[in-house]
Amino acid sequence: MVAYIEAKNVNLIFTPPNRMPVTALKDFNISVGEGEFVSIVGPSGCGKSTFLNVLLGLIPPHSGEMAINGKRVSGPGQDRAMVFQEFGLLPWRTVLNNVELGLELKGVATSERRPVSQKFIEMVGLAGFEGHYPHELSGGMKQRVGLARALATDPDVLLMDEPFAALDAQTRDIMQAELLRIWQEAKKTVLFVTHQIEEAVYLSDRVIVMTKRPGRAKKIIDIPLPRPRDYEMRVTQEFNDLKLQLWNELKDELTVHGNG
Amino acid sequence: MNDFVYKWRNPIFGSVSVVLFFLGWEALLTWAIPLNPFIMSKPSLIFEGLWLEMQSGQLWSDLLISGQPFIFGFGAAIVVGIFVGTMMGWRARVGYALDPLLTALYASPLVAIAPLVIIFFGVGVSGKAILIFVLCVFPFVFNTYAGVKSVDRLLVNVVRSLGGNERDIYLKVIVPSVLPFIIAGARYAIGRALVGILVGEFFAATAGIGYRIAWFSDMFELSRMFGYILVMMVVAVLFTEGIRWAERAAFPWRVGM
């Protein structure tokens, strides 16, 4: 497999004011193929979300190399787009204007960005809601806008930071199925951070298990389930075996020393 | 008909209480209490006096005279208040340094220094404008400060991650976040500005709404005095309602917040 996203020996140390420095990522390595759907799971605070922000270009690492399609990552770039856990929609913009934000920042003319944003609004199932403001939408609809906004910039890599964690369980199930449909349609490489084992197994080609802080990639588990995937697969023996395998890797990292 | 009533029920109910208030006042002083024009007046006399002031042009010239320091003082308060508030929000140290002092000044009844301001800056436009400025600048400072501090970091990161530069962050995130705070500040400031005009003109002036109110009061022309007070009330309502209307028109997204 040719590595499409490659991170080598990424180190990141936070120094909060008046506190001891915290090593968030230590010699973090991953390698993702083109068009792959890879999830990262790990205990809370292991640095999995931090890694996405580093890869997005918002936080510079202290050392290490990151490249996407052979191009070194050094700051935000048009080859990547993030879907945020808390949606990150601008409340003073309508659905249409939120989806257009990326194109607008690129300097694409209004007449050109209109059909593009319209296409992705339809793809995420929000046709008819173009003029609505975020406060008029449900959580699931807000995240659909977040997804359309990321896709509208036509990135090669879609980074998703616990995108469904703020949604209720049923909405999450629907959004997972929607994401798989859209992923197959849009053909993007996806790096998906979650703390939910079932979600990771259901969506991914491979799952990376991280250690507790300082976060390293501990184990990579292949998910050989056929595609397209449907909801019934979740009750098969194979699915449950994979969940158990993942759980066994993860549980050692979850043991909290002392209180907890 | 019912649709009409339903649609306009807020203004209809609102006006009913105002009309009843004036009718009750009129009735009380017509039938219940004998009217002593040195200490009382009633709506029919007030409106008659107001009508005469309008016809002679006195009211309009007074409004113009009082309007000038209002525009200068309020305008300066907007500019300076937004600038200081922005600096306090952006530079934490400026915020820490200025917050206690400005909070103390905001909380204290600054009208008390009105005589001093008039002594320093005279009875003309500048003295009154400065008094209005002193009263109005604080709502702008503190609301801008609160607005800048409350800018959502996530939205800044969203714009940065999509390739936005500093200017984009400023124009597409910070300004729209802070603007509603500033408008809300303007509503407080209007009330303080009107107090500033009146007090400034009570102390030293030769014309203007506040001067006229004080003068009519001294002359026991209570009908005329109440007429001018009524004008001030109308001006205050027009301003605050105007701002509220502009808020709804400009920030439809805040309806649900």
Side-chain angles (χ1 to χ4, degrees):
Chain A
M1 184 193 71
V2 184
Y4 192 72
I5 305 173
E6 179 113 69
K8 270 189 193 154
N9 299 323
V10 174
N11 285 284
L12 182 71
I13 301 158
F14 280 126
T15 314
N18 309 323
R19 297 263 176 83
M20 294 290 284
V22 177
T23 308
L25 296 167
K26 190 172 170 60
D27 295 328
F28 190 77
N29 292 290
I30 64 162
S31 162
V32 177
E34 185 171 5
E36 243 193 325
F37 196 122
V38 173
S39 290
I40 303 177
V41 297
S44 304
C46 73
K48 52 192 192 297
S49 292
T50 308
F51 174 68
L52 278 199
N53 281 307
V54 171
L55 191 60
L56 187 61
L58 288 182
I59 307 172
H62 284 85
S63 64
E65 286 293 317
M66 290 173 306
I68 289 173
N69 201 12
K71 256 178 61 193
R72 214 176 141 256
V73 171
S74 59
Q78 298 182 355
D79 49 355
R80 284 150 286 155
M82 176 94 111
V83 179
F84 296 86
Q85 180 182 350
E86 300 297 338
F87 320 127
L89 306 181
L90 307 188
W92 44 86
R93 284 176 171 240
T94 59
V95 167
L96 179 68
N97 289 328
N98 263 296
V99 172
E100 281 189 352
L101 180 64
L103 297 171
E104 191 183 314
L105 292 168
K106 271 192 199 176
V108 178
T110 315
S111 57
E112 284 174 53
R113 59 190 194 228
R114 198 73 6 132
V116 178
S117 39
Q118 196 60 47
K119 174 184 151 195
F120 287 103
I121 286 172
E122 274 160 32
M123 188 188 275
V124 300
L126 282 182
F129 290 94
E130 292 84 354
H132 283 57
Y133 286 92
H135 77 260
E136 300 170 299
L137 305 177
S138 67
M141 290 161 93
K142 284 181 194 167
Q143 199 53 294
R144 287 169 192 262
V145 178
L147 189 55
R149 176 177 67 191
L151 290 170
T153 60
D154 193 23
D156 302 320
V157 174
L158 201 55
L159 305 173
M160 306 188 79
D161 183 10
E162 303 196 35
F164 307 144
L167 306 179
D168 65 80
Q170 282 160 21
T171 309
R172 193 186 306 144
D173 286 344
I174 294 166
M175 290 301 288
Q176 287 165 357
E178 286 283 281
L179 176 60
L180 284 180
R181 175 181 69 75
I182 290 162
W183 172 65
Q184 256 143 1
E185 199 174 324
K187 302 196 183 354
K188 305 287 177 196
T189 307
V190 178
L191 203 51
F192 189 100
V193 162
T194 179
H195 55 254
Q196 251 215 316
I197 291 175
E198 178 159 338
E199 184 170 71
V201 173
Y202 181 54
L203 296 174
S204 315
D205 296 317
R206 288 189 300 144
V207 180
I208 298 168
V209 182
M210 279 182 76
T211 62
K212 56 178 175 270
R213 204 167 60 202
R216 286 180 299 105
K218 176 190 182 187
K219 175 96 182 178
I220 296 168
I221 294 173
D222 283 312
I223 310 293
L225 297 170
R227 291 194 189 266
R229 293 181 186 166
D230 53 34
Y231 195 83
E232 282 72 35
M233 260 181 210
R234 295 179 183 223
V235 293
T236 59
Q237 187 60 44
E238 200 183 358
F239 193 93
N240 281 313
D241 288 345
L242 286 163
K243 266 171 73 180
L244 192 63
Q245 193 187 346
L246 206 51
W247 169 246
N248 284 329
E249 292 296 338
L250 198 54
K251 73 176 177 206
D252 299 334
E253 305 303 325
L254 297 177
T255 36
V256 185
H257 9 109
N259 53 356
Chain B
M1 181 61 197
N2 272 338
D3 282 349
F4 176 83
V5 172
Y6 184 77
K7 191 178 170 207
W8 296 99
R9 65 192 191 286
N10 286 1
I12 287 172
F13 284 115
S15 340
V16 164
S17 68
V18 173
V19 170
L20 283 180
F21 173 77
F22 281 116
L23 285 179
W25 182 358
E26 182 77 30
L28 202 66
L29 288 172
T30 306
W31 293 299
I33 305 169
L35 179 72
N36 176 350
F38 287 105
I39 56 165
M40 268 298 162
S41 187
K42 58 180 183 177
S44 56
L45 298 174
I46 293 169
F47 286 116
E48 188 196 338
L50 201 55
W51 176 245
L52 292 175
E53 294 291 338
M54 283 190 214
Q55 276 192 320
S56 71
Q58 186 70 62
L59 177 65
W60 312 124
S61 91
D62 281 329
L63 274 175
L64 274 180
I65 284 167
S66 298
Q68 258 184 324
F70 173 80
I71 289 169
F72 291 133
F74 200 76
I78 293 174
V79 174
V80 174
I82 290 176
F83 176 76
V84 173
T86 308
M87 291 324 283
M88 287 170 74
W90 265 352
R91 299 268 169 264
R93 284 178 196 172
V94 178
Y96 294 143
L98 293 183
D99 196 1
L101 175 66
L102 296 185
T103 303
L105 289 175
Y106 187 18
S108 49
L110 285 175
V111 196
I113 62 161
L116 209 57
V117 171
I118 302 295
I119 290 169
F120 285 163
F121 299 98
V123 295
V125 172
S126 55
K128 286 182 272 177
I130 285 168
L131 184 62
I132 292 165
F133 168 80
V134 167
L135 288 171
C136 293
V137 74
F138 296 105
F140 285 109
V141 170
F142 282 102
N143 277 43
T144 309
Y145 181 35
V148 172
K149 274 203 300 187
S150 74
V151 168
D152 191 346
R153 291 295 309 172
L154 174 60
L155 301 184
V156 173
N157 278 342
V158 166
V159 169
R160 274 218 296 153
S161 76
L162 290 169
N165 53 30
E166 290 297 314
R167 194 169 156 271
D168 293 321
I169 291 170
Y170 188 74
L171 291 179
K172 295 185 199 299
V173 178
I174 296 179
V175 170
S177 304
V178 177
L179 218 48
F181 284 81
I182 294 173
I183 301 286
R187 269 196 277 143
Y188 291 107
I190 288 282
R192 294 169 69 95
L194 296 180
V195 171
I197 292 179
L198 292 188
V199 172
E201 291 178 347
F202 282 171
F203 280 107
T206 52
I209 301 282
Y211 166 76
R212 209 65 68 186
I213 290 174
W215 191 76
F216 284 137
S217 160
D218 290 346
M219 296 291 114
F220 297 101
E221 285 270 10
L222 292 191
S223 301
R224 303 286 176 102
M225 183 195 86
F226 275 119
Y228 267 75
I229 292 176
L230 210 60
V231 169
M232 287 304 276
M233 285 164 71
V234 171
V235 168
V237 170
L238 285 180
F239 270 124
T240 44
E241 283 304 307
I243 291 173
R244 204 169 286 172
W245 176 85
E247 247 178 325
R248 274 198 295 267
F251 314 122
W253 55 275
R254 282 182 71 83
V255 171
M257 296 184 86

